[in-house]
Amino acid sequence: MATTQAESTPNPNSLKFTTDDGPFLSGGVAAYASADEAAEDPLARRLFDVSGVDDVFITPQFVTVSKAPAVDWGSVKPDVEAILAEHLEAA
């Protein structure tokens, strides 16, 4: 099973997820501030399905997910990690 590592960022509402199991994106970067913006990106769309996710930034090397300030990481992080692992395994 693919694994990710979460790293804190200067923004307490954002976590950076990295992996050694392959790229998250084949090239370039993708940034989405809403589920509507992410409608054409399957990975970002799934991340926005997690309650509390506010922003998604995807590069080949990492994914940064930002949550709403009132939401606890404990309710967001496990779902984000599961989605990222499934994405990497399907690639």
Side-chain angles (χ1 to χ4, degrees):
M1 178 173 201
T3 59
T4 60
Q5 299 79 42
E7 302 174 21
S8 53
T9 71
N11 178 349
N13 293 314
S14 298
L15 285 177
K16 177 181 174 182
F17 295 87
T18 59
T19 187
D20 292 329
D21 293 322
F24 290 106
L25 188 67
S26 59
V29 298
Y32 305 103
S34 71
D36 288 341
E37 287 182 13
E40 300 300 316
D41 185 317
L43 173 58
R45 190 174 57 242
R46 288 193 64 209
L47 291 169
F48 275 106
D49 285 342
V50 176
S51 180
V53 169
D54 260 0
D55 191 83
V56 175
F57 182 72
I58 307 170
T59 75
Q61 297 82 19
F62 65 88
V63 174
T64 299
V65 175
S66 300
K67 65 168 184 66
V71 176
D72 182 72
W73 273 116
S75 65
V76 175
K77 185 179 167 194
D79 291 336
V80 168
E81 289 174 324
I83 290 166
L84 295 175
E86 290 170 12
H87 173 77
L88 291 166
E89 288 173 9

